[in-house]
Amino acid sequence: LITMVGAPGGAPVGETLAGIVRTYAKILFTVFALWAAFRLAMQAQGFRYAWGLLTVMLPWIGFTVRQLALARFARALSALYGAGLPLSQAMRYAADATGNEYLRSRIQPAGSKLEAGYSITDTFASTGVFPPMVMDMVATGENTGELGFMMDKVAEYYEEEGKLRSHQAGYVFGVVVYLGVAIYVAIIVIQYYAGYFSSIFGAAGQP
């Protein structure tokens, strides 16, 4: 690349390198500014709720985010309930383990339904965030008295599924980044040769 830009008709090497440095500096500054603004906005509960809702609604990625969040909830609920904590309190504390404000806000209030006499299955169903498979396992756990065991099984299943989908997402992201870099390099090469041949034809057309 340095050889090309330093060739006759091309831009000086120093000028080109300075331009590249400025471009990457702007990109890094923009990324840092966005990250800082995001961290600041996450201090507000309303933004955390909106962000949590967005992350679980995204195509494909949202399903993985929901799986991992519910796996953390199920694991925490099993541990807390198994330690002797009342189920209503265990649900409230386990909701914080989701790491998602939207899911937490849907699950946490359900503890009051248990205290009001609702069944475990009806309480879980009232949140609207648990898929049919989880509801079936909750019903089984309620009927057999093995809710903690069934929550462990839910967590194991979702953790394995989440890991698999995360690996797939990482592979796809790597391919996208590779293609992006290849396109960027191709644009640089095309721009160089366009300027190079333009200068040659311009010089040939002069008397």
mmCIF file of all heavy atoms in Angstrom, residues 7 13 33 52 66 81 93 102 113 121 146 178:
data_model
loop_
_atom_site.group_PDB
_atom_site.id
_atom_site.type_symbol
_atom_site.label_atom_id
_atom_site.label_comp_id
_atom_site.label_asym_id
_atom_site.label_seq_id
_atom_site.Cartn_x
_atom_site.Cartn_y
_atom_site.Cartn_z
ATOM 1 N N ALA A 7 3.863 5.976 -5.481
ATOM 2 C CA ALA A 7 4.183 5.885 -6.897
ATOM 3 C C ALA A 7 3.806 7.175 -7.601
ATOM 4 O O ALA A 7 3.017 7.969 -7.089
ATOM 5 C CB ALA A 7 3.442 4.710 -7.520
ATOM 6 N N VAL A 13 3.398 9.489 0.565
ATOM 7 C CA VAL A 13 3.249 8.493 1.622
ATOM 8 C C VAL A 13 2.881 9.136 2.950
ATOM 9 O O VAL A 13 1.967 8.693 3.643
ATOM 10 C CB VAL A 13 4.564 7.687 1.768
ATOM 11 C CG1 VAL A 13 4.461 6.730 2.952
ATOM 12 C CG2 VAL A 13 4.862 6.930 0.498
ATOM 13 N N ALA A 33 -16.893 7.971 22.635
ATOM 14 C CA ALA A 33 -17.978 8.888 22.992
ATOM 15 C C ALA A 33 -19.308 8.149 23.084
ATOM 16 O O ALA A 33 -20.104 8.384 24.006
ATOM 17 C CB ALA A 33 -18.061 10.018 21.967
ATOM 18 N N GLY A 52 -33.213 -3.236 27.501
ATOM 19 C CA GLY A 52 -33.510 -4.648 27.742
ATOM 20 C C GLY A 52 -34.570 -5.167 26.798
ATOM 21 O O GLY A 52 -34.463 -6.287 26.277
ATOM 22 N N ARG A 66 -32.367 -13.702 25.492
ATOM 23 C CA ARG A 66 -33.438 -14.147 26.390
ATOM 24 C C ARG A 66 -33.091 -15.507 27.016
ATOM 25 O O ARG A 66 -33.316 -15.728 28.209
ATOM 26 C CB ARG A 66 -34.754 -14.249 25.632
ATOM 27 C CG ARG A 66 -35.951 -14.649 26.494
ATOM 28 C CD ARG A 66 -37.168 -14.868 25.618
ATOM 29 N NE ARG A 66 -37.649 -13.642 25.042
ATOM 30 C CZ ARG A 66 -38.634 -12.903 25.575
ATOM 31 N NH1 ARG A 66 -39.228 -13.296 26.686
ATOM 32 N NH2 ARG A 66 -39.032 -11.793 24.980
ATOM 33 N N TYR A 81 -34.123 -21.056 46.279
ATOM 34 C CA TYR A 81 -35.231 -21.866 46.781
ATOM 35 C C TYR A 81 -34.703 -23.103 47.519
ATOM 36 O O TYR A 81 -35.243 -23.506 48.551
ATOM 37 C CB TYR A 81 -36.135 -22.268 45.624
ATOM 38 C CG TYR A 81 -37.394 -22.983 46.029
ATOM 39 C CD1 TYR A 81 -38.265 -22.434 46.961
ATOM 40 C CD2 TYR A 81 -37.735 -24.211 45.451
ATOM 41 C CE1 TYR A 81 -39.431 -23.086 47.322
ATOM 42 C CE2 TYR A 81 -38.907 -24.872 45.805
ATOM 43 C CZ TYR A 81 -39.750 -24.300 46.744
ATOM 44 O OH TYR A 81 -40.901 -24.954 47.100
ATOM 45 N N TYR A 93 -35.478 -12.046 44.145
ATOM 46 C CA TYR A 93 -34.017 -11.945 44.105
ATOM 47 C C TYR A 93 -33.461 -12.529 42.799
ATOM 48 O O TYR A 93 -32.519 -11.983 42.216
ATOM 49 C CB TYR A 93 -33.408 -12.665 45.305
ATOM 50 C CG TYR A 93 -33.700 -11.998 46.627
ATOM 51 C CD1 TYR A 93 -34.033 -12.752 47.746
ATOM 52 C CD2 TYR A 93 -33.645 -10.621 46.761
ATOM 53 C CE1 TYR A 93 -34.308 -12.146 48.970
ATOM 54 C CE2 TYR A 93 -33.920 -10.005 47.971
ATOM 55 C CZ TYR A 93 -34.251 -10.768 49.071
ATOM 56 O OH TYR A 93 -34.522 -10.160 50.272
ATOM 57 N N TYR A 102 -35.825 -5.220 31.474
ATOM 58 C CA TYR A 102 -37.163 -5.545 30.978
ATOM 59 C C TYR A 102 -37.658 -6.861 31.585
ATOM 60 O O TYR A 102 -38.776 -6.922 32.114
ATOM 61 C CB TYR A 102 -37.157 -5.640 29.461
ATOM 62 C CG TYR A 102 -38.390 -6.289 28.883
ATOM 63 C CD1 TYR A 102 -39.610 -5.630 28.887
ATOM 64 C CD2 TYR A 102 -38.336 -7.576 28.348
ATOM 65 C CE1 TYR A 102 -40.752 -6.228 28.379
ATOM 66 C CE2 TYR A 102 -39.467 -8.180 27.830
ATOM 67 C CZ TYR A 102 -40.676 -7.501 27.847
ATOM 68 O OH TYR A 102 -41.802 -8.110 27.340
ATOM 69 N N LYS A 113 -47.970 -12.427 43.586
ATOM 70 C CA LYS A 113 -49.050 -13.344 43.205
ATOM 71 C C LYS A 113 -48.956 -14.650 43.995
ATOM 72 O O LYS A 113 -49.975 -15.241 44.385
ATOM 73 C CB LYS A 113 -49.014 -13.615 41.703
ATOM 74 C CG LYS A 113 -49.395 -12.417 40.839
ATOM 75 C CD LYS A 113 -49.435 -12.785 39.382
ATOM 76 C CE LYS A 113 -49.887 -11.611 38.530
ATOM 77 N NZ LYS A 113 -51.288 -11.207 38.824
ATOM 78 N N THR A 121 -47.439 -22.286 38.655
ATOM 79 C CA THR A 121 -47.562 -22.249 37.190
ATOM 80 C C THR A 121 -48.263 -20.985 36.737
ATOM 81 O O THR A 121 -47.828 -20.326 35.775
ATOM 82 C CB THR A 121 -48.328 -23.485 36.700
ATOM 83 O OG1 THR A 121 -47.662 -24.670 37.146
ATOM 84 C CG2 THR A 121 -48.398 -23.508 35.178
ATOM 85 N N GLU A 146 -40.560 -30.882 42.807
ATOM 86 C CA GLU A 146 -39.139 -30.791 42.443
ATOM 87 C C GLU A 146 -38.890 -29.546 41.590
ATOM 88 O O GLU A 146 -38.227 -29.612 40.557
ATOM 89 C CB GLU A 146 -38.710 -32.042 41.678
ATOM 90 C CG GLU A 146 -38.763 -33.325 42.474
ATOM 91 C CD GLU A 146 -37.675 -33.375 43.541
ATOM 92 O OE1 GLU A 146 -36.711 -32.591 43.429
ATOM 93 O OE2 GLU A 146 -37.810 -34.176 44.478
ATOM 94 N N TYR A 178 -14.367 -9.667 8.311
ATOM 95 C CA TYR A 178 -13.411 -10.000 7.252
ATOM 96 C C TYR A 178 -13.847 -9.398 5.921
ATOM 97 O O TYR A 178 -13.040 -8.807 5.189
ATOM 98 C CB TYR A 178 -13.276 -11.514 7.137
ATOM 99 C CG TYR A 178 -12.364 -11.964 6.022
ATOM 100 C CD1 TYR A 178 -10.983 -11.969 6.182
ATOM 101 C CD2 TYR A 178 -12.884 -12.381 4.797
ATOM 102 C CE1 TYR A 178 -10.146 -12.377 5.159
ATOM 103 C CE2 TYR A 178 -12.053 -12.789 3.767
ATOM 104 C CZ TYR A 178 -10.683 -12.783 3.956
ATOM 105 O OH TYR A 178 -9.859 -13.166 2.930
#
